[in-house]
Amino acid sequence: MQAKAQLEQQIIAKQPAPLHSADSDPQETVEWLEAWDQILNEESPQRAAYLLSALTERARSAGLELPLPSFNTPYWNTIRVEDELPYPGDLEIERRIKSIIRWNAMAMVVQQNKKDPGIGGHIATYASIATLMEVGFNHFFRATIKDQEGQDQPGDFVYFQGHASPGIYSRAFLEGRLSLKQVENFRHELREEPGLSSYPHPWLMPDFWRFPTVSMGLASLNAIYQARFMRYMENRGLTAATDRKVWAFLGDGEMDEPESMGSITLASRERLDNLIFVINCNLQRLDGPVRGNGKIIQELEAAFRGAGWNVIKVLWGRGWDPLFAKDRSGILLKRMEECVDGEYQSFRAKEAKFLREKFFGKYPELAAMVADMSDEDIWNLRRGGHDSIKVYNAYKRAFEHRGQPTVILAKTIKGYGLGPSGGEGRNLAHQSKKLDETDLVNFTRRFGLQISEEDAKAAKFFLPPENSPEVIYLHQRRRALGGYYPERQTTSDLIETPALDFFKEQIAGSDGREVSTTMAFVRVLTSLLKDKTVGKRVVPIIPDEARTFGMESLFRQVGIYASQGQLYEPHDADMFLYYKESKDGQILEEGITEAGSMCSFTAAGTAYSNYGVEMIPFYIFYSMFGFQRIGDFVWAFADARGRGFLCGATAGRTTLNGEGLQHQDGHSLVLSSTVPTCLSYDPAFAYEIAVIIQDGLRRMYQEDEDIFYYLALYNENYAQPPMPEGAEEGIIRGIYKLKAGDDKPKAHLLGSGPMVNEVLRAQRILAEQYGIQTDVWSVTSYNELRRDALRAERWSRLHPSEPEQRPYIVRVMGETEGPIVASTDYMKIVPDQIAPWLNGRLVSLGTDGFGRSDSREYLRAHFEINAESIVSATLSRLAREGKFNAKKAAQAMIELGLRAEAVDPASA
Ligand SMILES: Cc1ncc(C[n+]2csc(CCOP(=O)(O)OP(=O)(O)O)c2C)c(N)n1
Ligand SMILES: [Mg+2]
């Protein structure tokens, strides 16, 4: 009854302004309100709420324009005190465990910065999120779970707030999973005993971290797509359906990254009730407040609620409950609502006196409410995110909620408990790496740690004995939750991948039929999808460009994944290739989101570790909108040890022609070359694609290599020749001889992608018009050639007394003579990658500069990569070497239509 009265008071205090500002009949208004109050008090809040919504409905259907509903609830906890469940754990012992973890997390950073100033690390973030983490670790994060058949399945997935990593390490240290040496070497990864990586990096700690998160915004988007992919796997029958959850712990400042909020409607549309966001609202980012002049929590609440999420706010700790209960007039809520975040930060950055005066003191009635509380009591009024009971209740609700994803907005304090030198609640909190001795000692007192003053001042690690109640409890809890966390599985269910004869069609060539490499690739994909072993594991991912790439036949063949099936009859249902959506559809048709598609690629490409099932994603995108647009996600994919094929279609700055400057890609191969585990290929022919994909499948899914592929795919149609005898090795390693000249060559022409055709044409012109014989080579990967050469060179450098290792490019081209002219639809720097091993013989022709809309012919002339430019470059170079008459070379330029004074395309 008391609670209802309290709610009533609060609701009245919150009453919105009337529709018409002047109340024309106050008496009538009061009657209505009293009638409603009666329902609230004598029936239930639910009934009262129902009647309100029924009235609203009625008003709408009568055509009244009502004010838009607010997506905000008052600035208080979503879960009412009377609805709270009791805490299922031992609060006191959990508090002690948390205090030890807090201490060691802080000590880890402080120690490192003492011995190595500038090594960095963060203490304030974990200090704010510790309770949110610990309630999860003790009661929610399951390492394994049983499916309906009683089989062990991988448990929940947790995306940790990256720079809270010291806290996660600190817990693993207390669990005995990390050694003292390891924590002493936090951020010192190159020391005698491998240290701990700065942030969650599976590449560096493959048994520990699963998800790279520290680049702001990655976690949110990846978590959404992970939760969606989890359903995809279940709906396609590839994994058992469980109640496994994806948790993402995010910073409030981090929510400003467009990626953080960019796909939240996907999560609600897909009804991802396996997804829980916990936003650590400590009201601060790196430089200062997230929303000094507003309220980040209210802003996020409205946005998430508007997007269809279940929102749970955890703002105030237990200590506030009696104050709310006393608050008959709603003055406390009023004060809470009128304060902006900048003020909330000051309340914490200063002392209790300030809080009493500035917060409570503003209204006498409010000041009276805390008059009998000591300064210490006031100071100990906690925020919700620091109260285990409040946090537990929010998690439990989120865990049980059905039909929507949940976001928990937890109000915390940055640098909680670290004192002034640790930056508690202060703008400098994020950068603080050290605590002064007073604050170190205060820390131990504040959290009740049994650490001597001397040890405290030295920020020594504190490890209770194995048989201490804390350690015993810790292990018990983890056992109950199926094991330790985080932990990354490295075993996978490797599969037998197809041999090369599976790709007969591509190896045999197109018999004169003109097809593009994109079409050839689609044929490969189609065959793979039909294969008994690998077929069901293939995940085609497309951001709304299937028709552009000629892939629409796949819609019908394997269906588009739609969690609800197809609720309508498609207009093209009577056609053979209709737009088929189904619950077990295989294609992830993502719509226009390259970043989202990349997250699907990541979920699928790491499924071998996360779900124990090897999946084979092919993500086909507009090559310009891949690496350059979403490069950070690709980098994280590599860190996560992802496997799969990225396919940059409509590749090449002149092969995709009419689209102009923003679309024509001449540099994705440069960008892809920067990712250490990415193998970049620029194939010219169908059989090259077949050989590369066959080898990639073998290496990734049969040999268990943590690598992935980038293939440039073009849309120019030409006859696809059969594969020359014995070309496989060269195709994989990066170069093979495609067509020898009739006689000993005077020069060598390198081509990749469709430029191979220009190079072959140049070979004919050189022979027929200028009597120069050349050999033509197809270069499938300059980047692989370079990497091989760098490896060989390094080995030789480190083994000066042994015979030198010869790089593949040297073995292939070392004995040849004469200039080497390369033509590529990519930047000159792509062929230049092998220049150091060609003794100054290389001339690179490429597409440096902005693209233009025009025909291929004009574009290739403009960028000086066409056959005429190749011929001219060869003659010019031969002339410089004294092997061709210079005047004739100049004359040839005129014959070939080249202009010496043309604008340089690199700066045009
Ligand atoms: C994309 C990106 N930009 C910048 C940074 C640098 N950075 C690390 S933490 C941080 C502030 C984070 O604030 P918030 O998300 O509120 O987390 P808090 O530490 O307050 O919990 C910034 C800017 C980053 N990690 N990633
Ligand atoms: Mg923050």
Side-chain angles (χ1 to χ4, degrees):
M1 220 23 247
Q2 191 208 359
K4 273 185 202 154
Q6 176 196 344
L7 188 74
E8 173 199 358
Q9 288 298 336
Q10 289 164 346
I11 287 168
I12 291 169
K14 268 294 291 172
Q15 247 185 76
L19 257 184
H20 302 287
S21 43
D23 188 348
S24 57
D25 190 346
Q27 181 54 35
E28 188 183 42
T29 310
V30 166
E31 281 166 24
W32 273 76
L33 288 176
E34 279 176 0
W36 187 83
D37 291 349
Q38 202 176 350
I39 310 248
L40 176 72
N41 284 323
E42 287 167 22
E43 293 192 35
S44 67
Q46 286 79 2
R47 176 73 192 145
Y50 178 81
L51 283 179
L52 271 187
S53 60
L55 259 181
T56 312
E57 202 53 39
R58 191 58 159 260
R60 287 231 169 82
S61 51
L64 261 64
E65 270 190 38
L66 299 181
L68 282 176
S70 162
F71 286 108
N72 275 125
T73 58
Y75 202 58
W76 63 34
N77 294 341
T78 304
I79 301 175
R80 298 182 309 162
V81 185
E82 53 270 42
D83 293 335
E84 278 175 8
L85 299 171
Y87 198 72
D90 182 332
L91 275 173
E92 179 46 33
I93 209 163
E94 286 188 23
R95 195 184 67 83
R96 292 208 301 271
I97 293 171
K98 185 167 61 187
S99 300
I100 299 168
I101 296 175
R102 280 180 183 286
W103 174 262
N104 287 334
M106 177 275 299
M108 203 177 302
V109 179
V110 172
Q111 282 184 25
Q112 298 315 302
N113 285 278
K114 267 192 192 167
K115 71 177 181 208
D116 192 354
I119 199 74
H122 302 86
I123 54 181
T125 299
Y126 181 72
S128 67
I129 205 175
T131 301
L132 294 168
M133 292 278 80
E134 279 304 293
V135 173
F137 277 120
N138 284 321
H139 301 284
F140 289 92
F141 306 157
R142 295 160 301 177
T144 50
I145 44 178
K146 301 260 181 241
D147 64 22
Q148 280 151 353
E149 261 110 60
Q151 299 288 322
D152 265 352
Q153 293 285 344
D156 302 310
F157 296 156
V158 182
Y159 289 75
F160 292 102
Q161 209 186 349
H163 52 287
S165 58
I168 315 302
Y169 291 139
S170 174
R171 175 168 246 272
F173 174 51
L174 194 57
E175 290 167 345
R177 298 199 295 141
L178 296 176
S179 68
L180 177 64
K181 203 81 202 152
Q182 277 176 300
V183 289
E184 279 176 350
N185 275 338
F186 170 59
R187 289 193 171 222
H188 288 84
E189 297 179 79
L190 306 176
R191 305 304 160 101
E192 64 286 2
E193 181 132 349
L196 302 175
S197 66
S198 48
Y199 302 118
H201 294 304
W203 185 259
L204 304 171
M205 295 177 64
D207 300 326
F208 197 85
W209 296 115
R210 275 178 200 269
F211 307 115
T213 50
V214 77
S215 170
M216 309 268 107
L218 294 184
S220 163
L221 203 66
N222 270 310
I224 291 173
Y225 281 84
Q226 181 71 261
R228 203 280 219 94
F229 188 73
M230 192 179 270
R231 293 276 190 260
Y232 170 91
M233 294 289 278
E234 291 170 4
N235 284 331
R236 288 195 52 219
L238 292 159
T239 56
T242 63
D243 69 348
R244 183 189 300 149
K245 304 282 180 198
V246 176
W247 296 78
F249 287 83
L250 309 162
D252 49 358
E254 179 172 16
M255 298 317 289
D256 281 342
E257 285 287 1
E259 290 85 353
S260 296
M261 307 276 286
S263 283
I264 58 174
T265 52
L266 172 82
S268 44
R269 197 160 65 241
E270 293 281 311
R271 301 183 186 154
L272 297 177
D273 50 22
N274 55 348
L275 178 65
I276 301 170
F277 274 12
V278 181
I279 306 183
N280 174 19
C281 296
N282 54 26
L283 314 186
Q284 288 177 241
R285 50 190 178 205
L286 195 150
D287 284 341
V290 179
R291 294 286 183 275
N293 295 321
K295 279 198 181 62
I296 184 62
I297 292 177
Q298 298 300 83
E299 181 180 327
L300 292 172
E301 174 186 37
F304 276 94
R305 205 183 292 284
W309 284 53
N310 174 40
V311 181
I312 302 176
K313 291 195 293 193
V314 188
L315 307 191
W316 309 111
R318 262 165 287 169
W320 293 90
D321 291 342
L323 297 180
F324 273 122
K326 271 201 248 174
D327 181 25
R328 311 302 304 172
S329 67
I331 190 81
L332 177 59
L333 180 68
K334 178 178 156 62
R335 182 73 187 117
M336 284 171 165
E337 299 236 318
E338 69 192 15
C339 284
V340 291
D341 285 353
E343 290 173 290
Y344 279 114
Q345 192 190 336
S346 299
F347 295 145
R348 194 64 197 187
K350 306 210 170 160
E351 68 280 13
K353 198 164 149 285
F354 183 83
L355 183 59
R356 186 191 292 277
E357 273 170 22
K358 297 289 175 193
F359 180 80
F360 294 103
K362 175 154 184 203
Y363 300 110
E365 192 187 342
L366 198 55
M369 219 189 261
V370 293
D372 56 354
M373 286 172 75
S374 68
D375 279 359
E376 199 185 347
D377 290 341
I378 288 186
W379 195 241
N380 286 337
L381 286 170
R382 275 177 289 170
R383 293 189 183 169
H386 296 296
D387 186 323
S388 300
I389 296 181
K390 304 285 180 195
V391 171
Y392 171 79
N393 273 279
Y395 285 6
K396 179 87 173 149
R397 275 264 177 114
F399 186 87
E400 286 170 358
H401 190 77
R402 292 291 171 266
Q404 285 174 302
T406 294
V407 58
I408 294 168
L409 302 170
K411 186 163 164 135
T412 60
I413 288 163
K414 195 149 178 168
Y416 185 68
L418 297 179
S421 69
E424 180 163 356
R426 290 166 167 74
N427 283 335
L428 54 79
H430 197 87
Q431 301 301 86
S432 123
K433 319 277 173 223
K434 287 180 194 159
L435 261 63
D436 64 27
E437 294 191 343
T438 317
D439 283 337
L440 284 167
V441 173
N442 283 344
F443 188 120
T444 58
R445 295 195 182 132
R446 159 88 182 72
F447 293 108
L449 288 154
Q450 304 297 313
I451 298 175
S452 71
E453 206 171 305
E454 194 187 335
D455 285 357
K457 286 180 180 164
K460 272 204 176 159
F461 289 121
F462 175 73
L463 207 51
E466 291 225 339
N467 59 1
S468 65
E470 291 85 357
V471 177
I472 291 170
Y473 183 90
L474 183 84
H475 289 300
Q476 265 172 0
R477 289 311 310 148
R478 287 317 311 167
R479 266 199 301 279
L481 292 164
Y484 295 98
Y485 210 94
E487 200 167 63
R488 180 181 174 277
Q489 275 71 42
T490 47
T491 49
S492 52
D493 70 331
L494 299 171
I495 46 183
E496 199 167 316
T497 53
L500 196 56
D501 61 3
F502 179 87
F503 303 94
K504 278 195 225 62
E505 184 188 324
Q506 288 75 34
I507 304 293
S510 64
D511 204 15
R513 218 163 34 91
E514 298 202 332
V515 288
S516 67
T517 51
T518 304
M519 282 158 79
F521 162 77
V522 174
R523 298 286 303 165
V524 168
L525 187 60
T526 308
S527 318
L528 286 173
L529 281 162
K530 287 183 185 148
D531 182 69
K532 274 206 200 70
T533 318
V534 298
K536 61 178 190 299
R537 297 174 182 260
V538 171
V539 186
I541 303 167
I542 315 155
D544 200 34
E545 291 285 358
R547 291 180 201 279
T548 312
F549 309 141
M551 297 176 70
E552 60 271 36
S553 64
L554 293 184
F555 292 163
R556 170 64 206 279
Q557 188 191 332
V558 293
I560 294 164
Y561 173 72
S563 57
Q564 301 176 60
Q566 194 154 29
L567 303 176
Y568 61 98
E569 180 166 299
H571 80 85
D572 51 2
D574 53 344
M575 312 216 326
F576 181 64
L577 295 178
Y578 74 98
Y579 196 82
K580 179 181 159 196
E581 300 194 71
S582 69
K583 200 166 173 177
D584 62 353
Q586 196 160 350
I587 300 172
L588 288 172
E589 161 64 91
E590 302 289 11
I592 311 166
T593 165
E594 283 77 13
S597 305
M598 188 62 211
C599 293
S600 283
F601 185 72
T602 304
T606 53
Y608 71 93
S609 153
N610 293 330
Y611 300 89
V613 183
E614 291 278 2
M615 297 301 287
I616 311 175
F618 286 87
Y619 168 20
I620 304 103
F621 50 85
Y622 241 108
S623 73
M624 190 70 153
F625 306 134
F627 282 83
Q628 105 164 348
R629 188 170 182 118
I630 49 156
D632 206 19
F633 281 93
V634 181
W635 188 255
F637 174 83
D639 183 354
R641 300 175 165 264
R643 303 167 181 182
F645 294 93
L646 287 179
C647 306
T650 54
R653 191 157 277 156
T654 69
T655 306
L656 175 68
N657 52 342
E659 293 291 289
L661 183 151
Q662 192 83 50
H663 282 65
Q664 289 162 203
D665 163 38
H667 52 278
S668 64
L669 284 166
V670 181
L671 303 176
S672 68
S673 75
T674 62
V675 183
T677 57
C678 179
L679 282 74
S680 308
Y681 283 96
D682 190 9
F685 300 121
Y687 65 80
E688 293 181 1
I689 291 179
V691 169
I692 294 161
I693 291 185
Q694 192 272 335
D695 194 55
L697 289 171
R698 180 188 64 76
R699 288 183 63 179
M700 294 186 282
Y701 301 105
Q702 195 166 296
E703 307 297 332
D704 212 12
E705 285 191 57
D706 292 337
I707 51 175
F708 68 105
Y709 285 70
Y710 177 56
L711 307 181
L713 301 174
Y714 297 83
N715 64 357
E716 182 171 359
N717 296 327
Y718 46 86
Q720 298 291 336
M723 181 166 84
E725 192 75 33
E728 289 108 295
E729 188 192 1
I731 293 172
I732 293 166
R733 304 200 66 165
I735 186 169
Y736 65 98
K737 192 181 287 181
L738 184 64
K739 192 159 188 278
D742 291 340
D743 210 342
K744 187 167 184 295
K746 279 221 167 85
H748 295 266
L749 309 181
L750 312 187
S752 6
M755 289 310 106
V756 165
N757 294 320
E758 291 299 315
V759 163
L760 287 167
R761 195 156 68 81
Q763 183 183 41
R764 284 196 300 278
I765 300 174
L766 279 164
E768 287 164 14
Q769 296 183 26
Y770 301 100
I772 305 280
Q773 291 298 324
T774 55
D775 281 358
V776 165
W777 303 75
S778 176
V779 184
T780 51
S781 179
Y782 288 103
N783 194 224
E784 281 306 290
L785 289 172
R786 175 177 180 81
R787 286 176 175 173
D788 166 79
L790 290 174
R791 271 190 297 266
E793 201 173 71
R794 174 175 180 274
W795 188 92
S796 302
R797 191 171 71 240
L798 298 174
H799 302 83
S801 60
E802 315 239 2
E804 200 170 23
Q805 270 194 9
R806 295 177 79 215
Y808 190 73
I809 184 65
V810 175
R811 276 193 273 151
V812 170
M813 299 220 73
E815 310 301 320
T816 61
E817 286 171 21
I820 298 169
V821 180
S823 172
T824 169
D825 212 0
Y826 278 81
M827 291 175 70
K828 298 183 178 85
I829 198 165
V830 175
D832 282 350
Q833 290 181 90
I834 58 169
W837 298 277
L838 296 177
N839 302 324
R841 294 159 59 203
L842 181 68
V843 178
S844 293
L845 305 177
T847 57
D848 298 42
F850 286 126
R852 295 284 193 285
S853 307
D854 211 316
S855 67
R856 288 182 187 135
E857 187 191 340
Y858 273 81
L859 285 171
R860 288 170 186 174
H862 168 77
F863 282 107
E864 299 162 3
I865 58 170
N866 59 1
E868 289 73 14
S869 303
I870 300 166
V871 169
S872 164
T874 310
L875 297 178
S876 181
R877 184 59 182 240
L878 284 168
R880 294 246 173 247
E881 290 178 12
K883 293 177 188 152
F884 192 77
N885 182 304
K887 288 216 173 87
K888 279 193 183 160
Q891 177 59 28
M893 277 186 53
I894 299 166
E895 291 161 13
L896 294 162
L898 270 64
R899 286 184 302 121
E901 306 314 323
V903 188
D904 182 351
S907 51

